[in-house]
Amino acid sequence: MSWENEIDAAEMIEIVSKLQGLPEYRRKEIAILLMHSTLNGYASEQLAGFAAGLAQVKQAEQAEAK
């Protein structure tokens, strides 16, 4: 798999298929990191806040499950 320039459609489908096997929370982490890498500084900070919020929700869900 080549990351130097662009990936072709088959490679993209392969990556997405592999990600489907991950837990939802991990897929969200990856999506957030991908979005973060495309944003300017201000938007990146906003996204970091969103990520922190997701972490709080996940922690609350885990606490309720116990």
Side-chain angles (χ1 to χ4, degrees), residues 7-33:
I7 60 174
D8 64 30
E11 288 174 317
M12 188 169 21
I13 291 170
E14 178 185 353
I15 292 167
V16 170
S17 295
K18 287 179 180 179
L19 294 176
Q20 291 302 313
L22 296 175
E24 179 182 349
Y25 185 72
R26 182 61 67 185
R27 291 191 317 264
K28 287 178 183 176
E29 282 182 328
I30 292 168
I32 289 168
L33 290 171

Side-chain angles (χ1 to χ4, degrees), residues 43-55:
S44 182
E45 287 181 26
Q46 285 182 314
L47 193 55
F50 176 69
L54 281 177

